[in-house]
Amino acid sequence: MSLTQSSAGSIASTASVAARRLAVLSNAERNEALTALYEGLLANKDAILAANAKDVALASRAAEDGDLNSSVLKRLDLSRPGKYDDMLQGILSVRDLTDPIGNVTLRTLLDDGLTLERVSCPIGVLLIIFEARPEVIANIAALSIKSGNAAILKGGKESTESFVAISTVISQAISSTRVPKSSIQLVQTRDVVSSLLAQDTLIDLVIPRGSNDLVRFVKDNTKIPVLGHADGLCSAYVHHDADLDVSVKVLVDSKTDYPAACNSLETLLVNEAVLRTILPTVAKALVAKGVTLKCDEPSKGALADTLDSVEMSSIVDAVESDYNTEFLDLILAIKTIPASAPGSGVDAAIDHINTHSSKHTDIILTKSKATADYFMSSIDSAGVFWNASTRFADGMRYGFGTEVGISTNKIHSRGPVGLDGLTIYKYLIRGDGHRAGDYFDGVGGKKWKHEALPL
Amino acid sequence: MSLTQSSAGSIASTASVAARRLAVLSNAERNEALTALYEGLLANKDAILAANAKDVALASRAAEDGDLNSSVLKRLDLSRPGKYDDMLQGILSVRDLTDPIGNVTLRTLLDDGLTLERVSCPIGVLLIIFEARPEVIANIAALSIKSGNAAILKGGKESTESFVAISTVISQAISSTRVPKSSIQLVQTRDVVSSLLAQDTLIDLVIPRGSNDLVRFVKDNTKIPVLGHADGLCSAYVHHDADLDVSVKVLVDSKTDYPAACNSLETLLVNEAVLRTILPTVAKALVAKGVTLKCDEPSKGALADTLDSVEMSSIVDAVESDYNTEFLDLILAIKTIPASAPGSGVDAAIDHINTHSSKHTDIILTKSKATADYFMSSIDSAGVFWNASTRFADGMRYGFGTEVGISTNKIHSRGPVGLDGLTIYKYLIRGDGHRAGDYFDGVGGKKWKHEALPL
């Protein structure tokens, strides 16, 4: 902790040494550190909130001057009702999760006296770069320790005072336990980030949590694997047999429940056959919630015939780039899918989504299980839902307890990433002088048993 | 196939379209293509061997001129006894493996009528770059089709004739099945490789199979995730309580069974306490097999007192860089671990290995289960073995049927990579108009069930 003056190399190698010591601790020893973390943050609540108030005061002035988004200000404020307690509770929730380390996922008898095991283990050293929200430091510290990984944390400049206060408490709390103090290191200066991103022999995984710009910067500037999503361009397709009520409920929730979230709806594909049945009701409900609809010609034509003039003032012409845009706002791009297209339109919808979506979460509205199954196996996204809101794409909602972030990667971990995403495995063999050269076809060659053993 | 003239972009986008079609085929449909592949390669054996003979003739002249390594020549020759039949049998073995696609690994009742599933699915588009061995094209084609991935294959220039012959047969064989013909594309020209490595939006994973130089080139020139190992710097540690007979058997096999393999032993760490008991017998056995031992001062001193002068001619002085060298030859670096070090030496051995090894496979020789367990949880490598040869690190030996390669990555897939390493998963939710906004703490808020359902 507080290694702001150290070079990236020494931060990373210190973390690497800590990671090795963490890897051999028991679940009880790791949990003990989480309890200490919880108690430390509970006991120092006043001091931490005082530090946070300084950040909030500074940010309020910046917001008044128009230099800071008001949503950043909101995310920064730890004194909002329930927020501090949620942070504390989160640490206990992580502590009480099943140990992700040391689980045997494969056990094979290779030959008499020669067994193979695949055992889950920590990844090693994580670099986590995040923006405003100060409670993330506590969540991430808890997740990292629970999974036996060392973490290097870099927070946003708006929350400097909060970070220093929280990290001092974390540091003190951990030092009374078997978890090495340098398992969690805080980096405050921005210029060290580029140097850390170059430490690909010591840092095993980078997790950027914040704006698309942050994620893209990280992906473009490191050889270390990056876990995260730059975009959440989620789409919905309304098939010709969709249920009206289900469509309205799901689409309004997907678009308006929290428009700034990565799992909010950005593109609506409507089968031509329901342009004058389902679309108008959906559009009226969305417009009533303040959504602007960017329509192609057929959908606009259908709405012009059914919406009143006040409602029509929320309908504008779509341009091609709207179908590649993550609005993160009360704006929805609408495109018509010809009913005469293959699969009565579902294939065209699949093609559009696989070409334009960011592989985050995409949904279909249909009464047909067969159509839904086809859509779900064809769409190449981390989440594919049938008659349910895109907003369900979330670690807490999935029942993971918490999440490190949502991944649109195609390898390792996809969708909401929980503790499992912070682990990997190693293969262990136990023998008694066994030689590989003894196993071969032919005279004198030993034969493999390859018997699955109970886990 | 035969898209040598096409641009990298069109190759990658063709593969991407094929991947989407592959993703919805059943196991039976994919297996049918593997049967066709097998039958095609069986029926065209003579033509393929004739093409291969041309490659071998050219390579033989290059080898005579000293322009080609004789081991490359050996790997190139498909007419060696059993090799063609092994290739054919490999396709049937892959076909008969359990379907890696569509397996539900998590099923949760989120709420009444709202279920979450995690289902295994193909990664998408693989780019596989390999060197001499022509049978790899058949293996990789089989693995890719079985796992529902499209593959772009680039082979080495020495095997051009063989590749064209095999790929023509594969192309014909597939075209009679539901598997899209462009699921397997062969790229022959070297200059297209760099452009393919730039297709990070269309290609999901690169697997280089060949020299360290090839792997490093690929890792340094792409943003696409790379699965593979650049080095196999495997170490063994002989603890003070190791069994003499077990040590000799395991170490001789690890070093001499196949010195050019990535899972061969390169560094031997010897506890000071056994320098004059175990080391001399091990050294005599290794020297008898033609191994040169590069020793530090204490180990050389111990051997000078026990080996005869002929044997001592195989003992040379180690330099520091030897402990970072993958010799791939009958050479072994030996270093002494002070017995007075923490953990009676095991901690120093762990530190050395975690600092110098390439995280491939490392082993310990000890009679103590506790010491072995500590070593196995402390060593940060894909394989950690107790009293067994490093040479067991292999997909076939692990019982995976076959392997795509061995990974020293810290994420996704580690160690020998079988079919599982070519899959990822997606999350599917099935609902009935469910809105995320209905779930919250407080009056009127729906509560999560989060019940694990049977798989």
Side-chain angles (χ1 to χ4, degrees):
Chain A
M1 203 73 66
S2 300
L3 279 166
T4 56
Q5 303 309 315
S6 310
S7 75
S10 94
I11 294 170
S13 60
T14 303
S16 178
V17 170
R20 291 176 201 161
R21 286 174 54 202
L22 257 171
V24 296
L25 296 184
S26 68
N27 190 41
E29 288 168 323
R30 284 177 270 124
N31 284 352
E32 189 198 323
L34 296 190
T35 303
L37 206 68
Y38 167 81
E39 288 169 354
L41 291 172
L42 181 63
N44 292 279
K45 181 173 176 178
D46 292 346
I48 290 169
L49 287 181
N52 181 247
K54 289 186 202 169
D55 285 334
V56 171
L58 212 66
S60 300
R61 284 201 291 278
E64 281 162 21
D65 296 347
D67 296 335
L68 191 81
N69 193 309
S70 65
S71 66
V72 174
L73 183 60
K74 201 171 152 192
R75 283 198 290 268
L76 195 58
D77 189 358
L78 269 180
S79 70
R80 289 170 57 214
K83 200 163 179 185
Y84 201 92
D85 292 340
D86 284 353
M87 177 180 87
L88 290 176
Q89 193 52 48
I91 296 167
L92 297 187
S93 304
V94 170
R95 183 194 64 184
D96 297 339
L97 290 173
T98 308
D99 186 9
I101 300 305
N103 298 318
V104 178
T105 55
L106 179 96
R107 186 176 277 135
T108 307
L109 183 71
L110 302 182
D111 193 6
D112 292 332
L114 190 70
T115 55
L116 171 73
E117 280 184 358
R118 185 174 62 203
V119 182
S120 65
C121 63
I123 291 176
V125 177
L126 314 176
L127 169 60
I128 297 149
I129 304 174
F130 46 102
E131 293 179 332
R133 304 193 303 172
E135 75 275 22
V136 169
I137 187 174
N139 296 342
I140 295 280
L143 286 165
S144 300
I145 293 171
K146 181 75 183 183
S147 56
N149 290 288
I152 302 167
L153 306 178
K154 166 69 181 76
K157 67 173 177 353
E158 289 81 10
S159 44
T160 301
E161 298 284 344
S162 316
F163 282 136
V164 171
I166 297 176
S167 65
T168 305
V169 170
I170 293 179
S171 190
Q172 283 165 353
I174 291 178
S175 55
S176 67
T177 73
R178 297 282 306 266
V179 167
K181 202 171 154 182
S182 47
S183 298
I184 307 291
Q185 295 181 74
L186 184 75
V187 173
Q188 286 174 267
T189 54
R190 198 185 174 93
D191 53 352
V192 85
V193 171
S194 297
S195 326
L196 283 169
L197 291 175
Q199 300 291 329
D200 58 311
T201 58
L202 291 168
I203 299 175
D204 299 302
L205 187 63
V206 189
I207 305 176
R209 287 194 61 168
S211 67
N212 300 354
D213 288 347
L214 171 71
V215 180
R216 280 209 200 82
F217 172 82
V218 169
K219 288 197 173 185
D220 288 346
N221 287 281
T222 190
K223 278 191 223 171
I224 308 170
V226 179
L227 196 71
H229 64 92
D231 298 287
L233 207 161
C234 303
S235 305
Y237 167 59
V238 184
H239 199 45
H240 63 73
D241 63 354
D243 180 86
L244 174 63
D245 183 48
V246 165
S247 299
V248 174
K249 283 162 70 179
V250 167
L251 295 171
V252 170
D253 186 78
S254 296
K255 181 68 249 183
T256 69
D257 185 49
Y258 187 14
C262 61
N263 57 11
S264 288
L265 186 67
E266 305 291 5
T267 298
L268 176 61
L269 305 173
V270 183
N271 191 289
E272 192 181 15
V274 293
L275 277 185
R276 284 157 202 279
T277 51
I278 294 176
L279 181 63
T281 313
V282 167
K284 279 172 185 282
L286 287 168
V287 167
K289 290 271 192 174
V291 180
T292 297
L293 305 177
K294 305 191 86 171
C295 295
D296 65 352
E297 218 168 289
S299 61
K300 190 179 177 188
L303 293 180
D305 293 345
T306 42
L307 267 56
D308 65 33
S309 61
V310 175
E311 289 165 338
M312 279 307 289
S313 66
S314 293
I315 313 298
V316 301
D317 291 328
V319 294
E320 196 51 39
S321 63
D322 289 330
Y323 304 115
N324 295 315
T325 301
E326 186 185 11
F327 299 108
L328 294 170
D329 204 348
L330 289 171
I331 302 168
L332 181 67
I334 299 183
K335 190 182 174 86
T336 306
I337 299 294
S340 60
S344 308
V346 70
D347 283 318
I350 289 166
D351 278 353
H352 178 98
I353 294 172
N354 279 334
T355 309
H356 293 79
S357 102
S358 63
K359 303 185 194 297
H360 188 297
T361 302
D362 301 286
I363 65 173
I364 185 168
L365 295 151
T366 175
K367 281 183 194 140
S368 157
K369 182 179 182 303
T371 302
D373 284 344
Y374 180 67
F375 181 88
M376 292 166 103
S377 61
S378 299
I379 292 293
D380 181 24
S381 296
V384 197
F385 303 166
W386 174 28
N387 291 345
S389 169
T390 57
R391 291 273 298 142
F392 285 110
D394 173 274
M396 191 276 293
R397 288 168 183 167
Y398 278 12
F400 298 170
T402 184
E403 71 178 31
V404 185
I406 295 183
S407 161
T408 52
N409 288 13
K410 297 292 290 289
I411 64 162
H412 186 65
S413 200
R414 212 178 180 199
V417 179
L419 271 185
D420 279 357
L422 301 183
T423 70
I424 184 69
Y425 52 77
K426 56 170 81 166
Y427 288 98
L428 307 180
I429 289 182
R430 295 179 175 89
D432 186 28
H434 288 73
R435 297 181 289 221
D438 290 338
Y439 297 80
F440 56 89
D441 289 334
V443 180
K446 290 174 98 176
K447 300 278 171 262
W448 299 104
K449 295 210 164 181
H450 287 154
E451 282 173 32
L453 296 175
L455 296 180
Chain B
M1 201 74 65
S2 301
L3 278 166
T4 57
Q5 304 308 315
S6 309
S7 75
S10 95
I11 293 171
S13 61
T14 303
S16 178
V17 170
R20 291 176 201 161
R21 287 174 54 203
L22 257 171
V24 296
L25 297 185
S26 67
N27 189 42
E29 288 167 323
R30 284 177 269 123
N31 284 351
E32 190 198 325
L34 295 190
T35 304
L37 206 68
Y38 166 82
E39 288 168 354
L41 291 172
L42 181 63
N44 292 278
K45 182 174 175 178
D46 292 346
I48 289 169
L49 287 181
N52 181 247
K54 289 186 202 168
D55 285 331
V56 171
L58 212 64
S60 299
R61 284 200 291 278
E64 280 162 21
D65 296 347
D67 296 334
L68 192 81
N69 193 310
S70 65
S71 67
V72 174
L73 182 60
K74 201 171 151 192
R75 283 198 290 268
L76 195 57
D77 188 358
L78 269 180
S79 69
R80 289 170 57 213
K83 200 162 177 183
Y84 201 92
D85 292 340
D86 283 353
M87 177 180 87
L88 289 176
Q89 192 51 46
I91 296 167
L92 297 186
S93 302
V94 170
R95 183 194 66 185
D96 297 340
L97 290 173
T98 308
D99 186 8
I101 299 305
N103 298 318
V104 178
T105 55
L106 179 96
R107 186 177 277 135
T108 307
L109 184 71
L110 301 182
D111 193 6
D112 292 331
L114 189 69
T115 55
L116 171 73
E117 282 183 355
R118 185 174 63 202
V119 182
S120 65
C121 63
I123 291 176
V125 178
L126 315 177
L127 170 60
I128 297 149
I129 305 174
F130 45 103
E131 294 180 330
R133 303 192 306 172
E135 75 274 22
V136 168
I137 188 174
N139 296 341
I140 295 281
L143 285 165
S144 300
I145 293 171
K146 180 75 185 182
S147 57
N149 291 288
I152 303 166
L153 307 177
K154 166 72 181 73
K157 67 172 175 356
E158 289 81 9
S159 44
T160 301
E161 297 285 343
S162 315
F163 281 137
V164 171
I166 296 175
S167 66
T168 305
V169 170
I170 293 179
S171 190
Q172 282 165 353
I174 292 179
S175 54
S176 66
T177 74
R178 296 280 306 266
V179 167
K181 201 172 154 183
S182 46
S183 298
I184 307 289
Q185 296 181 72
L186 183 75
V187 172
Q188 285 175 267
T189 54
R190 199 185 172 91
D191 54 352
V192 85
V193 170
S194 296
S195 328
L196 283 169
L197 290 175
Q199 300 291 329
D200 58 310
T201 58
L202 292 168
I203 298 175
D204 298 302
L205 187 63
V206 189
I207 306 176
R209 287 193 60 167
S211 67
N212 300 354
D213 288 348
L214 171 72
V215 179
R216 281 209 198 83
F217 173 81
V218 168
K219 288 197 174 187
D220 288 345
N221 286 282
T222 189
K223 278 191 225 171
I224 307 169
V226 178
L227 196 71
H229 64 91
D231 298 286
L233 207 160
C234 304
S235 305
Y237 168 59
V238 182
H239 198 45
H240 63 72
D241 64 353
D243 182 86
L244 174 64
D245 183 49
V246 165
S247 299
V248 173
K249 282 162 71 179
V250 167
L251 295 171
V252 170
D253 187 78
S254 296
K255 181 68 250 182
T256 69
D257 186 48
Y258 186 16
C262 62
N263 57 11
S264 288
L265 184 68
E266 305 292 6
T267 297
L268 175 62
L269 305 172
V270 183
N271 191 288
E272 194 181 11
V274 293
L275 277 186
R276 282 157 202 280
T277 51
I278 294 175
L279 181 62
T281 312
V282 167
K284 280 171 184 281
L286 288 168
V287 167
K289 289 270 193 175
V291 179
T292 296
L293 305 177
K294 307 191 86 174
C295 295
D296 66 352
E297 219 168 287
S299 61
K300 190 180 177 188
L303 293 180
D305 294 345
T306 42
L307 266 58
D308 64 34
S309 61
V310 175
E311 288 165 339
M312 278 307 289
S313 66
S314 294
I315 313 301
V316 300
D317 291 327
V319 294
E320 196 50 41
S321 64
D322 289 331
Y323 304 114
N324 295 315
T325 301
E326 186 185 10
F327 300 106
L328 296 170
D329 204 346
L330 288 171
I331 303 169
L332 181 67
I334 300 183
K335 191 182 173 86
T336 305
I337 300 293
S340 61
S344 308
V346 69
D347 283 317
I350 288 166
D351 279 353
H352 178 97
I353 293 172
N354 278 335
T355 309
H356 293 79
S357 103
S358 63
K359 304 186 194 299
H360 188 298
T361 302
D362 300 286
I363 66 173
I364 185 169
L365 295 151
T366 175
K367 281 182 193 141
S368 157
K369 182 179 183 302
T371 302
D373 284 344
Y374 180 67
F375 181 88
M376 291 166 105
S377 62
S378 299
I379 292 293
D380 180 24
S381 296
V384 197
F385 304 166
W386 175 27
N387 291 345
S389 169
T390 56
R391 291 274 298 141
F392 285 110
D394 172 275
M396 190 276 294
R397 289 169 183 167
Y398 278 13
F400 298 171
T402 185
E403 70 179 30
V404 184
I406 295 184
S407 162
T408 53
N409 288 13
K410 296 292 290 288
I411 64 163
H412 186 63
S413 199
R414 211 178 180 199
V417 179
L419 270 184
D420 280 356
L422 300 183
T423 70
I424 184 69
Y425 51 78
K426 56 170 82 165
Y427 288 98
L428 307 180
I429 288 182
R430 294 178 175 88
D432 185 29
H434 289 73
R435 297 181 288 221
D438 290 338
Y439 297 79
F440 55 90
D441 290 333
V443 180
K446 291 175 98 174
K447 300 278 171 262
W448 299 104
K449 297 210 163 183
H450 286 155
E451 283 173 30
L453 296 174
L455 297 179

